[in-house]
């Protein structure tokens, strides 16, 4: 609120393949899409071949082609009315990642979306939006990296919506390695159907102020979900993790483990909420947050929350 941000320029020429090299991973068969200042950069991308029944492309192109999945899912889970940063993203979104895996298809090797801020314009803001749809019985692994050059002062406001159909599987990994002078707010919504499996792994190293919001809705029976997180701060970094897990149906199991390492005057926040509705009997939920403080001036604020309205459950934190 103390800075005047301007929309990042549409120019994607300020990043070279050499600039990207430290942020790529030698994963066999990985499909990589690169976005610079929130815009797709095809010259830096290597989407490769995908199996039949799998769509991997940038969101702007999918919108231009009027892909039918977008109408059914885009904006249905990350609702602007429920968060100011989500509303801001929705107002200014230009591009992002779109992944669609049809029924009973295995997408194979991971899909890597690299969101780069070039830092050439001070206090530039980008608002990337991603949509991942995994139909019934399908599987996909998606990695999102948010990176930028050291010393750049900019703002990244990212929103990802993921829909995991009945008996489907999603592995979602987010790595935040922004400049330590940048600000990052990331919001991820995962909606799971009956008998589905999902793992969310969040890693935060960068940003002067970095916040991760994770919402998971278990919308069916016999769902399993994992929420894993690691954050490492130094200097005067502030790294926040706010998670919200909704158990809305019976016989679901969840495990949440977040760990932090903080040095100097770094500040970490963990705020984890598990909500169990009255019909969500046989819920099995466990939540853990641990932090290691390496200096007398580092600080962690942790707030585990359980709201349980069913009487036959096993919930701990």
């Amino acid at each position: 609120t103390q800075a005047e941000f301007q929309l990042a320029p549409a120019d994607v020429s300020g990043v070279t393949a050499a600039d990207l090299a430290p942020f790529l991973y030698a994963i066999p068969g990985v499909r990589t899409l690169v976005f610079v200042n929130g815009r797709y950069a095809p010259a830096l991308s290597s989407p490769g071949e995908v199996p039949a029944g799998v769509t991997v492309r940038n969101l702007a192109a999918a919108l231009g082609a009027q892909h039918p999945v977008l109408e059914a899912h885009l904006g249905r889970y990350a609702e602007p009315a429920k968060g100011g940063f989500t509303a801001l993203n929705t107002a200014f979104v230009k591009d992002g990642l779109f992944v669609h895996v049809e029924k009973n298809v295995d997408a194979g090797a991971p899909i890597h979306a690299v969101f780069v801020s070039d830092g050439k314009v001070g206090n530039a803001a980008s608002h990337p939006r991603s949509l991942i749809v995994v139909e019934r019985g399908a599987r996909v692994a998606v990695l999102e990296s948010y990176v930028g050059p050291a010393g750049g002062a900019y703002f990244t406001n990212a929103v990802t919506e993921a829909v995991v159909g009945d008996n489907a599987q999603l592995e979602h990994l987010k790595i935040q390695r922004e400049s330590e002078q940048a600000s990052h707010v990331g919001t991820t919504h995962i909606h799971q159907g009956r008998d589905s499996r999902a793992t969310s792994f969040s890693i935060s190293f960068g940003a002067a102020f970095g916040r991760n919001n994770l919402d998971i809705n278990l919308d069916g029976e016999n769902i399993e979900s994992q929420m894993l997180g690691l954050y490492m701060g130094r200097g005067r970094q502030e790294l926040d993790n706010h998670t919200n897990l909704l158990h809305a149906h019976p016989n679901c199991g969840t495990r949440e483990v977040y760990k932090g390492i903080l040095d100097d005057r770094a500040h970490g926040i963990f705020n984890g909420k598990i909500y169990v509705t009255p019909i969500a009997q046989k819920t099995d939920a466990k939540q853990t947050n641990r932090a290691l403080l390496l200096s007398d001036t580092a600080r962690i604020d942790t707030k585990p929350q359980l709201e349980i309205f069913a009487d036959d459950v096993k919930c701990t934190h």
Side-chain angles (χ1 to χ4, degrees):
T1 58
Q2 297 177 6
E4 293 187 7
F5 293 102
Q6 56 183 316
L7 289 178
D11 181 18
V12 299
S13 64
V15 175
T16 66
D19 296 329
L20 281 179
F23 306 114
L24 302 180
Y25 306 101
I27 304 171
V30 65
R31 284 70 63 93
T32 304
L33 281 76
V34 177
F35 300 83
V36 177
N37 297 330
R39 311 275 187 149
Y40 182 52
L44 298 172
S45 302
S46 52
E49 298 293 330
V50 296
V54 178
T55 300
V56 179
R57 65 190 309 184
N58 63 307
L59 185 63
L63 285 167
Q66 297 183 336
H67 196 289
V69 170
L70 295 176
E71 178 67 25
H73 295 292
L74 185 62
R76 306 294 183 183
Y77 310 97
E79 300 177 28
K82 293 184 178 180
F85 286 102
T86 299
L88 194 66
N89 176 283
T90 304
F92 289 110
V93 63
K94 298 296 182 183
D95 211 346
L97 175 68
F98 174 59
V99 176
H100 177 228
V101 186
E102 296 181 11
K103 296 177 183 177
N104 302 317
V105 174
D106 189 331
I111 298 157
H112 187 190
V114 185
F115 296 94
V116 189
S117 295
D118 63 18
K120 295 186 181 302
V121 177
N123 287 341
S126 61
H127 304 273
R129 184 67 167 252
S130 298
L131 176 64
I132 304 165
V133 180
V134 194
E135 302 281 4
R136 185 179 68 237
R139 179 203 160 273
V140 71
V142 177
L143 166 61
E144 296 181 28
S145 292
Y146 294 88
V147 302
Y154 52 84
F155 171 41
T156 303
N157 177 35
V159 173
T160 296
E161 296 176 291
V163 187
V164 189
D166 295 351
N167 200 36
Q169 297 182 49
L170 169 67
E171 298 168 40
H172 182 260
L173 173 62
K174 176 186 175 183
I175 301 178
Q176 187 268 104
R177 300 172 65 186
E178 306 264 34
S179 159
E180 291 186 19
Q181 282 70 50
S183 298
H184 177 96
V185 177
T187 301
T188 302
H189 287 258
I190 300 177
H191 190 96
Q192 291 186 241
R194 183 186 181 99
D195 299 310
S196 65
R197 305 289 180 265
T199 299
S200 167
F201 198 170
S202 171
I203 301 175
S204 296
F205 295 144
F209 171 76
R211 175 163 178 162
N212 291 308
N213 301 310
L214 174 61
D215 294 325
I216 298 184
N217 185 352
L218 308 183
D219 191 15
E221 294 192 41
N222 301 312
I223 295 173
E224 291 185 8
S225 187
Q226 288 192 89
M227 308 163 74
L228 309 173
L230 171 66
Y231 49 98
M232 297 177 64
R234 62 183 180 179
R236 291 182 175 272
Q237 285 181 282
E238 178 169 322
L239 300 175
D240 301 353
N241 289 281
H242 295 252
T243 68
N244 187 48
L245 179 60
L246 174 61
H247 279 264
H249 295 270
N251 302 305
C252 295
T254 57
R255 293 292 182 268
E256 180 174 12
V257 180
Y258 272 68
K259 296 185 178 183
I261 302 173
L262 301 169
D263 201 357
D264 304 320
R265 293 183 176 274
H267 180 204
I269 294 176
F270 173 79
N271 185 355
K273 182 177 180 179
I274 298 175
Y275 188 96
V276 182
T277 65
I279 67 168
Q281 303 293 348
K282 303 295 183 182
T283 288
D284 182 359
K286 184 175 182 179
Q287 181 186 76
T288 302
N289 174 226
R290 301 187 187 279
L292 181 64
L293 304 182
L294 301 182
S295 77
D296 292 338
T297 50
R299 192 171 97 226
I300 176 69
D301 294 319
T302 182
K303 184 183 178 183
Q305 296 175 270
L306 299 177
E307 293 192 31
I308 305 169
F309 297 95
D311 54 12
D312 185 7
V313 303
K314 183 165 61 176
C315 295
T316 62
H317 67 69

